[in-house]
Amino acid sequence: MKAFTYERATSPAAAAAAVAARPGAKFIAGGTNLLDLMKLEIEAPVHLVDVNTLSLDKIEPTDSGGLRIGALVRNTDLAADPRVRRDYGVLTRAIVAGASGQLRNKATTAGNLLQRTRCPYFYDTNQPCNKRKPGSGCAAIGGYSRQLGIIGTSDACIATYPGDMAVAMRVLDATVETVQPSGATRRIPITDFHRLWGDTPHIDTNLQPGELITAVTLPKPVGGTHIYHKVRDRASYAYALVSVAAIVQRDGSGHVAIGGIAPKPWRVEAAEAALPQGAKAVTPRLLAGARPTKDNSFKVPLVERTLAAVLAQAKDAA
């Protein structure tokens, strides 16, 4: 790990200004992803701004009937909150499906959204990787790609977003609140938060330099049956090959987002109109334009089968 300087933030705006003022500076909270990357020298921040002392660890009701989740709310606390369990069950299920209990105790809401790719070539500093070193190439293209993306990828990168929580946030139509170095605030719909790779896979989100997440807001609950189903190689502590976050109403209508297949949680609202007709009707619209590799072409039928299992579970629950 390379040497770095450190400070504790006194306010969200001051934290944003401190990171913006030092090229190569980073925020740190739970550190569950950043510290790993620093140990491997994939990330080498020159300065760390600790935001743990900021008052961003509350879950509060909004005037519109939803919830405002502070950026520093730990994953364990978010999943266990009675309001989340009652009204946003898909979020609780997604969080519990991720990582381990020890990591969930440290990981924050904002940090979970910001975690970087888990492509094995990204972690192997002997291999070319456009995310790690822009313009160096992508060893995954033409390499072993079983766990990697089938849609929304590009000729520069085929890595997938690894998280679970954001898939549930996407199906819930969450909004990310931020503060900029100037002190100005903005609200980013979760659909616009993560980027598709294009020619710049080293840029994961649409945050500006120094911009700090302060909260995530959830809209008023919509009811229905909430399901998160994750298909992985082992029963725990593994990333999704395919995951499905769904909210299904009694008439079969609803919302669905897919994890494990794209650079961001994958949702195609136009495909959801076909949900009452079943997974076979939804999947071709959901995966239109997919570009699987020979190693991960199995993900196409796996999406359909996993979605079919989720819809059957929702029907039984109803």
Side-chain angles (χ1 to χ4, degrees):
M1 184 182 292
K2 295 184 178 180
F4 57 87
T5 53
Y6 170 90
E7 69 175 285
R8 288 180 177 170
T10 56
S11 72
V19 168
R22 295 281 298 272
K26 296 278 187 180
F27 301 112
I28 188 166
T32 57
N33 188 208
L34 178 60
L35 289 177
D36 282 345
L37 297 177
M38 289 173 66
K39 291 173 185 177
L40 295 170
E41 296 189 2
I42 294 170
E43 293 275 9
V46 299
H47 186 65
L48 291 182
V49 177
D50 190 337
V51 298
N52 280 295
T53 56
L54 303 181
S55 298
L56 301 174
D57 59 351
K58 306 291 191 301
I59 303 174
E60 301 169 313
T62 65
D63 292 341
S64 60
L67 284 181
R68 186 176 188 270
I69 303 160
L72 294 177
V73 173
R74 306 293 162 166
N75 284 182
T76 296
D77 295 330
L78 180 57
D81 186 273
R83 295 161 295 183
V84 175
R85 295 178 63 185
R86 180 187 67 231
D87 298 327
Y88 307 97
V90 65
L91 181 55
T92 289
R93 292 176 173 87
I95 293 171
V96 172
S100 65
Q102 294 91 332
L103 286 172
R104 292 195 296 270
N105 287 342
K106 289 293 292 181
T108 63
T109 298
N112 197 306
L113 290 175
L114 291 170
Q115 62 185 301
R116 302 205 68 190
T117 180
R118 296 304 196 277
C119 171
Y121 296 102
F122 174 71
Y123 274 91
D124 186 350
T125 55
N126 293 312
Q127 299 289 337
C129 173
N130 287 320
K131 284 188 65 65
R132 187 175 3 92
K133 185 177 180 181
S136 63
C138 177
I141 297 176
Y144 185 64
S145 55
R146 179 175 178 271
Q147 291 186 305
L148 304 183
I150 63 172
I151 197 165
T153 56
S154 74
D155 293 336
C157 184
I158 60 172
T160 55
Y161 177 78
D164 295 285
M165 186 190 79
V167 184
M169 293 284 195
R170 180 67 183 90
V171 86
L172 288 167
D173 290 317
T175 300
V176 180
E177 298 181 8
T178 70
V179 62
Q180 297 174 317
S182 65
T185 61
R186 69 167 175 152
R187 293 167 58 85
I188 308 170
I190 192 72
T191 184
D192 299 325
F193 184 76
H194 295 102
R195 294 165 53 96
L196 297 181
W197 296 143
D199 296 326
T200 56
H202 60 290
I203 305 175
D204 292 306
T205 73
N206 283 313
L207 292 177
Q208 300 300 314
E211 192 168 11
L212 174 70
I213 298 174
T214 54
V216 177
T217 55
L218 302 178
K220 184 178 179 180
V222 297
T225 300
H226 290 226
I227 297 172
Y228 188 79
H229 191 82
K230 182 176 180 179
V231 180
R232 46 189 164 178
D233 285 327
R234 57 180 184 269
S236 65
Y237 202 56
Y239 302 113
L241 293 170
V242 165
S243 64
V244 174
I247 302 174
V248 185
Q249 304 299 333
R250 293 183 66 88
D251 62 0
S253 65
H255 307 303
V256 62
I258 312 295
I261 64 170
K264 59 190 292 185
W266 194 254
R267 182 179 173 192
V268 179
E269 282 87 341
E272 294 172 352
L275 276 173
Q277 303 168 43
K280 286 186 179 296
V282 176
T283 305
R285 306 180 197 187
L286 191 64
L287 299 183
R291 302 194 307 172
T293 69
K294 61 180 178 61
D295 293 328
N296 65 22
S297 58
F298 71 92
K299 287 193 176 187
V300 174
L302 185 58
V303 167
E304 181 179 315
R305 292 169 187 170
T306 307
L307 179 57
V310 165
L311 295 179
Q313 182 180 343
K315 184 178 180 180
D316 289 345

